[in-house]
């Protein structure tokens, strides 16, 4: 601000002042968003002797917490593996189904199309807690408790509405004349779709797939009911056991290490695909 | 798109069902997995069924609903749900508008700042809850206590002293980016010509915001409020992780109470009745939300068809 008052033209001075306020505002908000992460990472790197000392960075960084979490008797590594299997399977299956639906809703005209879209969206707003008990009973009857499919099937059905909606908005922007051209050149309807439209739609499909992956990775309620033993727990359930139930209560440092392990893959994905994710989220307005 | 729509009109009748076919897998799957279990929930809610009382399970009409609606724990949880949802949506919307206005300007590193700002929304909610419960609010290890210790507030146990406020803080942190993205989409859809016309008419920055930008954003804000409400009402993991609904039932919301009643209290009938009540409430809000979605995102489409 001081430099701005040294006799510059009026216009410039005002901009300088505004930029300072905006800059400070953004810095504050970034601090608000990032301080919790920072503190989690820092705490996970502190050894038992330092953990209560509230120093702003680890004076003697150590991986002892990570070794404890991944190598300990509870095998957090298993939970990471379970989550990867569940989330990847959910994403692949949901995307195959959603691509067809999104194509139909964006491309084909038929009566009741908006009604179908509304119906699908309504299902995405359905509170999961209202169906947990029947799902549990059903899966128990089928012997699905502690099986991956008990988490994959509900995940798919809760991810589908989001995936279909975001894909539909992406598909609407496609140059459909190309599909017509491919058909004229002798491609069948599936050939035209697979060779021309799908490659063009790849960015939208990847974005949607990422959102579905996040939703599946984050799911907790249904998993906590249908996955009981450590062998099938996804990361969300494993973390809750770390910190919630006294039976499995872990030291603070280990909790933070587990938090970092669960958060890191998502942060990396967000940084890699930032533009697409922002586009997908604002197109859908959904999680 | 309008150019290809015209020749299609002729084949409209013949292919009607073939056109709907690609939708069937998704529709069937979603309805079978979410709606059929809900019918079962309604069925449960009409029976007096407690797993701790062998032989219970007979039809009891609306008894569960009467029991639930006169249950102070349920009413308390309903009050908490409204309090938590309303304050979370309101605060995160205000912060979201502020953030969106800041991010709508061009500055160095805007893309990076935007990415960092949306990360809280994409983080595992269970980890978010853990983050706030221990990293931020813990009386010994927490950053809040550390930051406030010069003011003599260093050893306050925030989560047990102010459970609802703590939960709301974590939820606001998680939901602000969602609101920001919606408002930002609204800001970026605002036509340049409108802004220029306003400037030509001599509107100052504050007038521009109040009389041009805000009315344009109204729809996006409404949508954010409605969708945010629907999702925040269903919050379970944050409360389960941070407070377990406690101390006592001070911070229990409806999803937590439903879960507790079914899986710790084993009263399937009453739990189901609460579930049905929550669904009815959600449906009312969701109907409004759906209308808005169709007006906001489908507007161009409707003009074409």
């Amino acid at each position: 601000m001081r430099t701005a008052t040294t006799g510059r033209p009026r216009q410039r001075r005002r901009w300088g002042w505004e930029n300072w306020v905006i800059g400070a505002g953004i810095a504050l908000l970034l601090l608000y968003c990032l301080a919790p992460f920072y503190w989690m990472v820092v705490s996970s790197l502190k050894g038992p002797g330092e953990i209560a000392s509230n120093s702003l960075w680890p004076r003697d960084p150590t991986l002892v917490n990570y070794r404890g979490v991944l190598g300990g008797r509870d095998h957090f590594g298993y939970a990471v593996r379970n989550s990867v299997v569940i989330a990847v399977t959910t994403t692949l299956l949901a995307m195959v189904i959603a691509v067809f639906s999104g194509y139909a809703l964006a491309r084909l005209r038929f009566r009741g199309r908006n009604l179908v879209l509304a119906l699908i969206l309504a299902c995405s707003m359905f509170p999961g807690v209202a169906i947990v008990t029947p799902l549990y009973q059903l899966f128990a009857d089928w012997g699905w408790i502690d099986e991956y499919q008990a988490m994959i099937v509900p995940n798919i059905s809760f991810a589908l509405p989001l995936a279909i909606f975001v894909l539909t908005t992406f598909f609407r922007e496609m140059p459909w004349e190309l599909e017509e051209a491919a058909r004229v050149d002798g491609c069948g309807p599936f050939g035209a779709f697979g060779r021309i439209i799908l490659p063009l739609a790849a960015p939208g499909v990847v974005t949607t797939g990422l959102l579905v992956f996040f939703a599946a990775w984050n799911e907790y309620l249904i998993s906590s009911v249908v996955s009981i033993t450590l062998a099938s727990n996804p990361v969300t359930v494993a973390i809750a056991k770390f910190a919630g139930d006294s039976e499995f209560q872990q030291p603070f440092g280990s909790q933070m290490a587990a938090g970092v392990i669960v958060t890191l893959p998502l942060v990396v994905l967000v940084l890699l695909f930032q533009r697409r994710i922002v586009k997908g989220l604002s197109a859908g307005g959904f999680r | 798109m309008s150019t290809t729509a015209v020749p299609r009109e002729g084949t409209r009748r013949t292919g009607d069902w073939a056109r709907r076919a690609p939708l069937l897998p998704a529709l069937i799957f979603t309805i079978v997995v979410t709606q059929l279990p809900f019918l079962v929930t309604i069925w449960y809610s009409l029976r007096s069924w407690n797993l701790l009382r062998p032989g219970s399970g007979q039809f009891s009409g609306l008894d569960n609903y009467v029991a639930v609606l006169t249950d102070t724990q349920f009413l308390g949880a309903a009050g908490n749900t409204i309090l938590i949802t309303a304050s979370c949506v309101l605060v995160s919307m205000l912060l979201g508008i502020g953030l969106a206005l800041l991010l709508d300007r061009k500055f160095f590193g805007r893309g990076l700042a935007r990415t960092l700002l949306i990360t809280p929304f994409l983080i595992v909610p269970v980890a978010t809850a853990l983050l706030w419960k221990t990293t931020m609010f813990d009386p010994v290890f927490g950053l809040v206590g550390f930051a406030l210790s010069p003011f003599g507030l260093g050893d306050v146990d925030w989560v047990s002293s102010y459970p609802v406020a703590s939960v709301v803080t974590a939820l606001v942190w998680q939901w602000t980016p969602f609101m920001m993205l919606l408002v930002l989409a609204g800001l970026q859809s605002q036509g340049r010509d409108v802004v220029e016309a306003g400037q030509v008419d001599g509107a100052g920055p504050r007038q521009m915001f109040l009389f041009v930008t805000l009315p344009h954003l109204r729809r996006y804000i409404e949508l954010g409020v409605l969708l945010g409400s629907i999702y925040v009402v269903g919050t379970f993991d944050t409360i389960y992780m941070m407070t377990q609904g406690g101390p006592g039932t001070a911070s229990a919301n409806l999803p937590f109470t439903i879960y507790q009643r079914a899986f710790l209290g084993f009263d399937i009938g009453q739990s189901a009745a609460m579930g049905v009540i929550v669904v009815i409430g959600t449906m009312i809000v969701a109907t409004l939300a759906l209308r808005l979605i169709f007006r906001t995102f489908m507007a161009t489409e409707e003009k074409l068809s």
Side-chain angles (χ1 to χ4, degrees):
Chain A
M1 250 181 95
R2 195 164 283 169
T3 51
T5 52
T6 54
R8 286 196 188 167
R10 231 198 126 153
Q11 194 81 15
R12 286 291 293 276
R13 202 170 72 190
R14 222 191 65 174
W15 270 110
W17 177 83
E18 264 191 14
N19 279 345
W20 272 105
V21 173
I22 291 165
I26 287 170
L28 251 171
L29 286 161
L30 277 177
L31 188 73
Y32 165 74
C33 281
L34 296 180
F37 287 136
Y38 177 76
W39 200 241
M40 180 156 90
V41 174
V42 166
S43 306
S44 76
L45 293 172
K46 287 176 178 173
E50 208 190 341
I51 191 83
S53 75
N54 273 332
S55 56
L56 278 176
W57 56 86
R59 291 217 183 74
D60 183 20
T62 165
L63 288 176
V64 67
N65 292 320
Y66 290 89
R67 248 177 265 132
V69 168
L70 290 173
R73 136 188 90 80
D74 292 343
H75 297 299
F76 196 68
Y78 286 174
V80 174
R81 185 200 60 192
N82 292 336
S83 270
V84 168
V85 172
I86 293 166
V88 168
T89 317
T90 301
T91 310
L92 292 178
L93 292 177
M95 288 311 289
V96 169
I97 306 175
V99 162
F100 284 109
S101 311
Y103 171 80
L105 285 170
R107 174 74 174 125
L108 308 176
R109 294 182 180 275
F110 52 84
R111 239 175 305 147
R113 195 182 50 153
N114 279 354
L115 184 75
V116 171
L117 199 52
L119 209 68
I120 288 174
L121 280 174
C123 286
S124 83
M125 297 166 186
F126 196 80
V129 74
I131 57 166
V132 169
T133 321
L135 277 182
Y136 173 78
Q137 304 263 341
L138 190 67
F139 291 164
D141 287 347
W142 290 351
W144 276 21
I145 300 302
D146 277 332
E147 299 286 342
Y148 286 149
Q149 62 264 35
M151 289 165 265
I152 292 170
V153 168
N155 274 352
I156 292 177
S157 69
F158 280 107
L160 270 180
L162 154 97
I164 292 171
F165 189 77
V166 179
L167 272 178
T168 306
T169 53
F170 270 112
F171 275 142
R172 286 217 166 112
E173 295 163 11
M174 304 284 303
W176 292 107
E177 294 80 2
L178 282 180
E179 192 195 40
E180 302 279 329
R183 280 199 203 180
V184 171
D185 289 349
C187 277
F190 280 101
F193 180 70
R195 283 192 208 157
I196 309 292
I197 293 304
L198 214 50
L200 281 174
V205 173
V206 171
T207 307
T208 316
L210 281 169
L211 297 180
V212 172
F213 181 86
F214 287 157
W217 184 269
N218 290 348
E219 204 284 324
Y220 174 71
L221 176 61
I222 288 171
S223 308
S224 76
V225 171
V226 299
S227 158
I228 293 157
T229 59
L230 288 167
S232 73
N233 282 168
V235 282
T236 46
V237 179
I239 277 222
K241 283 190 173 171
F242 262 40
D245 299 326
S246 51
E247 189 189 340
F248 293 96
Q249 186 85 43
Q250 296 276 327
F252 180 72
S254 308
Q255 287 184 26
M256 291 300 103
V260 172
I261 293 170
V262 171
T263 308
L264 211 60
L266 297 194
V267 173
V268 170
L269 281 174
V270 171
L271 290 175
L272 281 178
F273 295 98
Q274 52 160 313
R275 231 154 259 229
R276 288 183 180 173
I277 290 170
V278 169
K279 187 156 189 260
L281 281 175
S282 29
F286 281 84
R287 57 173 184 179
Chain B
M1 225 172 128
S2 54
T3 49
T4 56
V6 177
R8 301 237 120 227
E9 286 302 310
T11 53
R12 186 174 180 151
R13 276 292 144 86
T14 48
D16 249 14
W17 280 105
R19 276 141 197 271
R20 289 189 181 115
L23 281 169
L24 289 179
L27 262 184
I28 293 171
F29 201 95
T30 314
I31 288 172
V32 165
V33 182
T34 65
Q35 301 310 301
L36 288 188
F38 181 57
L39 291 181
V40 179
T41 300
I42 297 177
W43 175 240
Y44 287 170
S45 76
L46 299 174
R47 331 197 99 218
S48 152
W49 185 13
N50 190 322
L51 296 180
L52 298 179
R53 286 201 316 268
S56 66
Q58 62 278 41
F59 186 78
S60 66
L62 295 177
D63 284 2
N64 283 324
Y65 291 90
V66 175
V68 163
L69 287 172
T70 51
D71 179 351
T72 48
Q73 203 186 333
F74 172 82
L75 296 176
N80 275 341
T81 308
I82 294 170
L83 178 68
I84 290 171
T85 308
S87 44
C88 167
V89 168
L90 188 76
V91 176
S92 52
M93 181 47 93
L94 288 176
L95 284 174
I97 293 174
L99 270 175
L101 287 173
L102 286 176
L103 284 179
D104 196 35
R105 295 156 179 276
K106 283 204 166 60
F107 58 86
F108 177 71
R110 179 168 79 155
L112 185 67
R114 190 182 54 187
T115 308
L116 293 174
L117 288 173
I118 62 164
T119 18
F121 182 58
L122 298 169
I123 293 311
V124 188
V126 172
T128 304
L130 179 66
L131 198 67
W132 280 91
K133 180 187 168 193
T134 46
T135 346
M136 300 305 283
F137 287 138
D138 191 281
V140 180
F141 309 111
L143 198 54
V144 171
F146 171 67
L148 293 180
S149 52
F151 307 101
L153 292 168
D155 45 5
V156 177
D157 188 352
W158 297 97
V159 175
S160 7
S161 315
Y162 307 98
V164 174
S166 304
V167 168
V168 169
T169 312
L171 285 173
V172 164
W173 187 75
Q174 191 185 340
W175 283 95
T176 303
F178 173 81
M179 303 298 184
M180 173 198 83
L181 278 172
L182 267 180
V183 175
L184 197 58
L187 281 174
Q188 286 170 352
S189 74
Q190 193 178 24
R192 277 268 147 252
D193 45 340
V194 181
V195 178
E196 274 160 20
Q199 280 163 347
V200 169
D201 289 346
R206 219 173 70 197
Q207 284 169 310
M208 281 294 291
F209 179 74
L210 281 180
F211 299 113
V212 180
T213 310
L214 213 51
H216 172 78
L217 287 181
R218 203 187 110 184
R219 224 172 238 193
Y220 292 83
I221 293 174
E222 283 173 354
L223 188 62
V225 167
L226 287 171
L227 286 176
S229 309
I230 289 167
Y231 293 134
V232 176
V233 162
T235 300
F236 171 77
D237 23 22
T238 311
I239 289 180
Y240 183 80
M241 286 293 291
M242 281 185 79
T243 65
Q244 297 260 333
T249 55
S251 63
N253 70 346
L254 285 175
F256 183 81
T257 310
I258 292 171
Y259 173 89
Q260 206 179 27
R261 191 83 28 123
F263 291 96
L264 303 172
F266 301 107
D267 196 323
I268 307 293
Q270 286 194 11
S271 164
M274 291 186 201
V276 173
I277 294 172
V278 170
V279 169
I280 293 171
T282 310
M283 260 163 53
I284 296 170
V285 186
T287 317
L288 295 172
L290 281 175
R291 277 200 193 156
L292 256 178
I293 289 174
F294 274 83
R295 263 195 302 166
T296 312
F297 289 105
M298 304 293 155
T300 50
E301 185 65 18
E302 272 161 19
K303 272 177 216 153
L304 288 174
S305 55

